[in-house]
Every structure is written in C-alpha cells, then in structure tokens.
Amino acid sequence: MLNRLRRMRRTESLRRLVRETTVRPSDLIYPIFVREGQTEPEPILSMPGQSRLPVGHLADAAKEIQDLGVGAVLLFGLPSHKDEAASSSRAQNGVVQQAIRAMKISAPELVVMTDVCVCAYTPHGHCGVLKGEEIDNDSSLPLLAQMALSHAQAGADVVAPSSMMDGQVGALRELLDAEGFSHTPVMAYSAKFSSAFYGPFREAADSAPSFGDRASYQHDFANARHAQRELLDDIDEGADILMVKPGIAYLDIVLRARELSDLPIATYAVSGEYSMIKAAAERGWLDEKKIVLETLTAFRRAGADLVITYHAKEAAKWLSNN
Ligand code: PBG
C-alpha cells in the first residue's frame, strides 16, 4: 500500500500543518436589530442570546464587537412608524441612520453594513411597495436607492439590498454614484431563496408579510440555475460582494458563486439555522461550539470569504482561544 492518507492525520500538529481552510473573527459579520423608541434590550424569544437593541446601547455594543475582532456588523431597523411608502426607511433621523452615527463615533474601525429593504417599514411587510396586491418592482427601486443613500450619508461603509427587486443593485449604484458615494460598496443579496429558515427573523424584525408570501420575488429553492442568473445580473449591475442565503442547505450555490466570480462571496447563516443549533444545544443534544466551528469552516470550504452569523461574537471568542 503506497498511499496511506491516514499518515497526515495521525497527530493534531500534522493535521494543523495541512489544514486547507481556516476561519478568523474578521471573516464574520454580526447582524444587529435596532429598535426605535426603546430604552432596554428586548430579548428575541425564538433566538436565544439575541436581542433587539435600543439606539442608546449601540455605542457600547460596537466597541465590544470591534474589540472581539469581528469583521463587520449588519444593521436591521425596527422603526416606530410604518407606512405604505416606507418613509421612515430613508429618514435622516431614522433608527438605522441614528444607529450608524452612534456606532461610527464609538468604534470608527468597525465596518458598518446596512440591510436595504422596506419589509420592516411597511404595514404589509412585503419587500417592495404595493400596487393592489402585487409588489411593484419598478416603483420600489427609487425608494430602495434613497434608503441606501441615507445610510451612506449617515456613515454606512457598505449597503446591502435584500428586497430581491430586479435591478436593485444597479438602482443603488446609480444614485450612490450621482450623489458622491461612488466609494460605497454594495453587498448584493443575489442568491436569496424563499426559505422557511427565515421564520425567527420575521419575529425579530417584525417583518412577516401580512398576506401571501415572498415567493414571487425570492428564489425558488429548487432552482440553482435561476439563482446563478441573478448572480450574473448583480455582477453586471456593479455588485461588490455577492451573497448566498440561507447558508447551510445552500453550499452548492456557494460553490457555484465561487466558480462564477472572483468577487468576494458572503453567505448568511440565517435565523432558523441559529435557532436550530441553539435549541439542540440547550437540550444537550449537540455541542454548540463544535457545531458552530464546523459549519463556519464548511461555509469557508465551499467558497465563502465572509459569513454573516448570529454566532459571530461567540465564535470570535472561541476562535481566539483556539
Ligand atoms: C428582509 C430580510 C430577511 C432576512 C434578511 N433580510 C427576511 C425575509 O426575507 O423574510 C432573513 C435573515 C434571517 O433569517 O436571519 N428582506
């Protein structure tokens, strides 16, 4: 027997020497829910360990995250006012705009990314504006672009359109460029599938659709080639980072994205993935730390440069003690 693959697996030092994939805290992006008109953090019941934070807590939160070496945060807003035109989503003093300013003062080195979508800002909870019961793609685009611009004006480092309207990346890019923000990158939720894994998030962000579902704008989870077309579209529209979402059940899409493009690839380990791990760990059925480090490594192995994860803070601690 000439080949004995076990030779390189015999000791931990040998395994470490030939390890192909690593995860660093700086590869991780931590999602934060910020709620307007609140003074205390509000625990999210379906996501143990996560809370909706008041703006007043973000300066300290940002410092903690920066000190842990986590690569970036991704902000989601819960406004106190919702209307059909999602007007609070682009208000200069909107909840996310205030949050960005607070974080940038306390932790200037921390990369602040923002979610750009109107679902938490409209009473109907859909990701675009409505015409009757239809989501009106083209009249949603200028609203999304204005929202992204107001985030950039408040100091956001990266804007991330997640509404799945056709042309959203290009619409953001054009307005940002016209208004002096040609330096602000767009992270495109390109391969965002219509998924039951988003369940806990909708409780967290108070953004569940009041009728119907998101299947007319998010990808059918049966379709890989269709998602690939959207990845290509977003590249053409000027995306700077491509995202695949959810994560764990979509590693084939991560690999496709990696093979398709040299742009940085991000994958989002979404709320349902987090909740499943937490629930099993609470019962003692899984070892949380080991599962998290294994899944994060798997995302990176499949080709993701960046992983958006609610476990970012804990993982950063585990990784630095390794
Ligand atoms: C908003 C948005 C959603 C998520 C990120 N941005 C929910 C949805 O599309 O219903 C899901 C994130 C998660 O589940 O962690 N469009």
Side-chain angles (χ1 to χ4, degrees):
M1 215 188 310
L2 293 176
N3 275 336
R4 285 185 183 274
L5 293 176
R6 288 184 53 203
R7 275 198 289 261
M8 292 310 296
R9 303 201 289 258
R10 195 172 52 84
T11 66
E12 172 55 19
S13 336
L14 281 171
R15 292 191 292 272
R16 194 174 55 209
L17 189 68
V18 296
R19 191 154 291 145
E20 299 170 24
T21 308
T22 56
V23 184
R24 302 167 301 176
S26 59
D27 303 323
L28 307 178
I29 300 173
Y30 183 57
I32 294 182
F33 300 98
V34 52
R35 176 157 220 170
E36 196 167 19
Q38 210 78 26
T39 52
E40 290 304 315
E42 228 181 352
I44 301 165
L45 299 180
S46 55
M47 300 176 70
Q50 306 300 315
S51 299
R52 302 180 197 92
L53 297 180
V55 173
H57 280 229
L58 286 185
D60 286 347
K63 235 179 286 159
E64 183 202 355
I65 296 161
Q66 179 176 265
D67 290 346
L68 286 169
V70 170
V73 293
L74 177 60
L75 290 178
F76 293 92
L78 287 87
S80 30
H81 170 76
K82 303 190 187 214
D83 59 35
E84 294 293 327
S87 53
S88 54
S89 68
R90 52 190 176 277
Q92 264 202 11
N93 224 16
V95 62
V96 167
Q97 291 80 353
Q98 291 182 44
I100 298 165
R101 285 188 214 106
M103 298 183 93
K104 275 289 156 191
I105 292 170
S106 73
E109 301 301 317
L110 181 65
V111 174
V112 174
M113 303 178 156
T114 58
D115 186 77
V116 176
C117 183
V118 297
C119 60
Y121 298 84
T122 58
H124 51 74
H126 277 290
C127 299
V129 291
L130 294 185
K131 204 188 258 166
E133 297 237 317
E134 288 277 319
I135 289 91
D136 187 354
N137 191 92
D138 294 12
S139 50
S140 302
L141 295 178
L143 303 190
L144 295 166
Q146 289 290 344
M147 182 178 181
L149 176 62
S150 76
H151 291 171
Q153 286 167 337
D157 296 293
V158 178
V159 289
S162 71
S163 79
M164 295 302 284
M165 296 300 115
D166 286 328
Q168 60 178 2
V169 172
L172 264 59
R173 187 70 276 149
E174 268 175 36
L175 187 67
L176 289 168
D177 289 357
E179 297 291 332
F181 290 92
S182 56
H183 54 279
T184 303
V186 174
M187 174 164 74
Y189 283 72
S190 306
K192 178 174 178 182
F193 290 86
S194 180
S195 168
F197 282 106
Y198 306 151
F201 174 94
R202 292 180 187 165
E203 181 212 320
D206 187 24
S207 69
S210 61
F211 65 90
D213 56 30
R214 304 204 199 289
S216 75
Y217 41 103
Q218 299 179 347
H219 296 298
D220 183 337
F221 55 72
N223 290 354
R225 294 193 300 269
H226 188 95
Q228 179 159 322
R229 287 178 58 200
E230 183 118 10
L231 287 159
L232 289 168
D233 266 2
D234 286 353
I235 296 167
D236 285 346
E237 289 177 30
D240 300 282
I241 301 174
L242 301 172
M243 192 205 298
V244 176
K245 175 186 172 194
I248 198 132
Y250 295 82
L251 294 183
D252 57 325
I253 312 293
V254 175
L255 180 59
R256 270 180 188 248
R258 173 76 293 148
E259 288 173 348
L260 199 67
S261 170
D262 288 325
L263 287 175
I265 308 290
T267 186
Y268 196 150
V270 299
S271 55
E273 305 178 47
Y274 175 83
S275 301
M276 289 194 310
I277 293 174
K278 279 285 176 193
E282 272 176 10
R283 293 180 178 206
W285 291 351
L286 286 177
D287 180 325
E288 182 172 15
K289 173 180 171 183
K290 284 186 174 164
I291 286 283
V292 169
L293 295 179
E294 180 176 337
T295 54
L296 293 177
T297 305
F299 294 134
R300 300 260 305 133
R301 188 194 65 230
D305 301 289
L306 303 168
V307 186
I308 303 160
T309 169
Y310 300 96
H311 271 111
K313 289 198 294 181
E314 287 156 291
K317 289 177 201 157
W318 294 329
L319 288 166
S320 52
N321 294 333
N322 259 353

